[in-house]
Amino acid sequence: MDCRIIKTPGEGTLAILNRRRGSKDNLGIPDAVGLVQGKLIEMVCAADIAEKAVGVTVEDIRGSCPQNMILLAIFGDTASVIAAMEEIKKKENDRLW
């Protein structure tokens, strides 16, 4: 699993993510975006961990094959996104999922 955090994402970055989001609900402009890429089973578990850990919004980011979810975007304030990403990494390292 590969993880990255974008603090204060740029307008173009948000446009890319918005075009590829699974949901078309308006998220506004987040302080940060966490990106998590991996196998489908890992992404479903990571989404669950992030949502339960803190108040973030998790969206699947579609690739060229819409039925394969391999990238998650975690939207929220910077502290919440960092906390969600840390919890995902901790659970991955502990293999508690």
Side-chain angles (χ1 to χ4, degrees):
M1 194 165 31
D2 196 13
C3 302
R4 301 282 190 282
I5 295 177
I6 302 171
K7 297 177 183 176
T8 316
E11 190 176 305
T13 302
L14 290 173
I16 291 167
L17 292 171
N18 280 323
R19 280 193 302 272
R20 304 185 76 79
R21 283 189 313 125
S23 167
K24 297 304 176 193
D25 295 337
N26 184 8
L27 290 173
I29 300 173
D31 291 338
V33 178
L35 299 173
V36 184
Q37 183 178 20
K39 296 176 184 176
L40 178 60
I41 191 169
E42 295 170 333
M43 296 304 91
V44 172
C45 292
D48 187 60
I49 290 166
E51 288 180 336
K52 289 177 179 175
V54 289
V56 293
T57 301
V58 180
E59 294 269 352
D60 61 310
I61 303 299
R62 301 195 187 280
S64 58
C65 187
Q67 62 268 31
N68 291 326
M69 180 178 65
I70 58 168
L71 179 66
L72 292 178
I74 301 169
F75 298 95
D77 63 79
T78 302
S80 295
V81 170
I82 290 171
M85 298 289 279
E86 287 175 352
E87 191 67 18
I88 289 168
K89 289 177 186 178
K90 177 183 175 226
K91 294 279 171 75
E92 179 192 21
N93 290 336
D94 294 344
R95 291 289 182 199
L96 296 176
W97 49 353

